[in-house]
Amino acid sequence: MRLRCVVLDDFQGVATGMADWSVIEDRVEVVALREHLDGEDALAAALAGFDIVVTLRERVPFPGSLIARLPRLKLLVASGMRNSVIDYDAAQAHGVTVCGTASSGTPPVELTWALLLGLARGIVEESTALRAGGPWQSTVGADLHGSRLGLLGLGRIGSRVARVGLAFGMRVSAWSQNLTKERAEEEGVEPAASKEELLAESDFVSVHLALGDRTRGLVGAAELAVMKPTAFLINTSRAAIVDQEALLAALHEGRIAGAGVDVFDVEPLPAGHPLRTAPRLLATPHLGYVSRANYTTYYGHAVEDIQAYLAGSPVRRLP
């Protein structure tokens, strides 16, 4: 009897076409689900008949309580090599092998700039007006050249965002709790004296930090209050780094010029969520990692992970 594998959150219906799943079809039946499963009860019911689960990023939590309700589960494959919503101890206790995949930093870098440029030049407003027969020019764009780009985080992704900013002729500064002057200078970036100084002096602020105890709620009402009213905030990292209620208030009150957001506390974002209609907001449905090359890697490595597990030698094990 073949094992059964389910691929979660295949919203675009492309998972089975992004890799050669035929190499395991004699031993594994693969099913892709296009609809998101929300809540532990729904997940437990839908996944009960599967031996292998392939999940994207950190959208679906796998706490110990859920793993305990899936006695048939043997292999959990998560895209990327870091996942904070899987209970690894519970997985081990229940005999579940957890594996990851490679993940490129290029797509989130590119999306960061798509959001930043879209905000700076009023792309959505102007395109919508043009198509609807509205006014010919209604916004005045913000210049990148000569403006200051402030980066919260200068790691693998932040440093690449910095290089693009420098190429645009921007003055780039960065801050994080661990950032040294030497590291900043390696990237040609000015280290900000403090988080508050970076926020107060930047024309564009972009978040590129990992989520943890020290970064959760790092940008709240007090931090947003020190930003320029002409400044823009971009977050393609993790939603919880920026206080969502404080951001909504700042947007509604016009205390910042706008925000570009790709990540949310709840995903998919509920139909009636206030962020769907917030003013001054350019929002995308967590597209940071969604690119053809990245999906090819995710699903190609998922197939390799399954092959290796079936051969008794799992690869890319997490954590």
Side-chain angles (χ1 to χ4, degrees):
M1 181 180 295
R2 292 191 298 170
L3 299 178
R4 300 192 73 222
C5 169
V6 61
V7 180
L8 301 180
D9 293 330
D10 181 22
F11 298 129
Q12 301 93 343
V14 298
T16 56
M18 288 286 180
D20 182 10
W21 296 84
S22 68
V23 298
I24 58 172
E25 66 181 2
D26 60 329
R27 299 186 63 184
V28 180
E29 174 194 357
V30 179
V31 176
L33 301 183
R34 298 192 63 171
E35 297 298 322
H36 179 69
L37 298 171
D38 190 21
E40 185 173 310
D41 289 343
L43 284 162
L47 304 184
F50 292 96
D51 308 277
I52 303 168
V53 174
V54 178
T55 183
L56 277 176
R57 307 304 294 147
E58 297 170 321
R59 180 169 289 113
V60 177
F62 281 86
S65 55
L66 174 59
I67 292 172
R69 297 171 70 178
L70 301 173
R72 185 166 167 174
L73 181 62
K74 297 295 183 289
L75 174 64
L76 177 59
V77 179
S79 59
M81 289 301 293
R82 179 169 55 189
N83 194 301
S84 63
V85 298
I86 296 173
D87 187 330
Y88 295 107
D89 291 337
Q92 183 178 17
H94 287 84
V96 178
T97 300
V98 184
C99 297
T101 75
S103 182
S104 171
T106 299
V109 171
E110 294 173 352
L111 185 72
T112 295
W113 282 102
L115 291 173
L116 193 154
L117 287 164
L119 287 167
R121 301 304 297 268
I123 298 298
V124 173
E125 299 95 321
E126 296 289 4
S127 177
T128 300
L130 186 148
R131 293 171 64 88
W136 185 264
Q137 299 182 3
S138 60
T139 64
V140 178
D143 295 285
L144 271 60
H145 186 88
S147 66
R148 183 170 179 180
L149 170 63
L151 302 175
L152 290 171
L154 194 64
R156 181 172 68 112
I157 294 174
S159 60
R160 296 176 70 175
V161 172
R163 292 169 209 158
V164 178
L166 293 169
F168 271 118
M170 303 178 81
R171 296 175 292 119
V172 183
S173 59
W175 177 89
S176 74
Q177 290 159 321
N178 298 323
L179 182 63
T180 64
K181 179 180 179 182
E182 292 73 23
R183 169 66 184 138
E185 290 176 347
E186 284 178 12
E187 298 292 342
V189 171
E190 176 186 347
S194 66
K195 175 182 64 174
E196 289 71 22
E197 189 270 340
L198 180 134
L199 292 167
E201 299 298 324
S202 295
D203 301 295
F204 300 88
V205 175
S206 192
V207 180
H208 302 287
L209 294 163
L211 179 62
D213 292 339
R214 295 194 303 172
T215 59
R216 189 178 299 274
L218 187 74
V219 180
E223 287 75 20
L224 290 166
V226 304
M227 291 179 63
K228 299 177 182 179
T230 55
F232 298 92
L233 175 70
I234 296 92
N235 185 11
T236 58
S237 182
R238 291 292 183 270
I241 296 173
V242 179
D243 184 300
Q244 303 293 281
E245 293 300 321
L247 176 60
L248 271 168
L251 292 171
H252 277 284
E253 295 167 15
R255 287 189 274 111
I256 60 174
V261 173
D262 185 51
V263 287
F264 307 91
D265 284 340
V266 179
E267 297 184 5
L269 201 62
H273 197 285
L275 280 171
R276 284 187 177 266
T277 54
R280 304 177 180 85
L281 178 68
L282 176 55
T284 48
H286 205 155
L287 299 178
Y289 62 89
V290 182
S291 76
R292 184 169 298 276
N294 230 17
Y295 268 27
T296 299
T297 297
Y298 286 170
Y299 294 120
H301 282 188
V303 172
E304 291 178 6
D305 289 348
I306 295 169
Q307 285 181 300
Y309 173 80
L310 293 174
S313 301
V315 294
R316 291 184 284 267
R317 298 190 68 162
L318 297 177

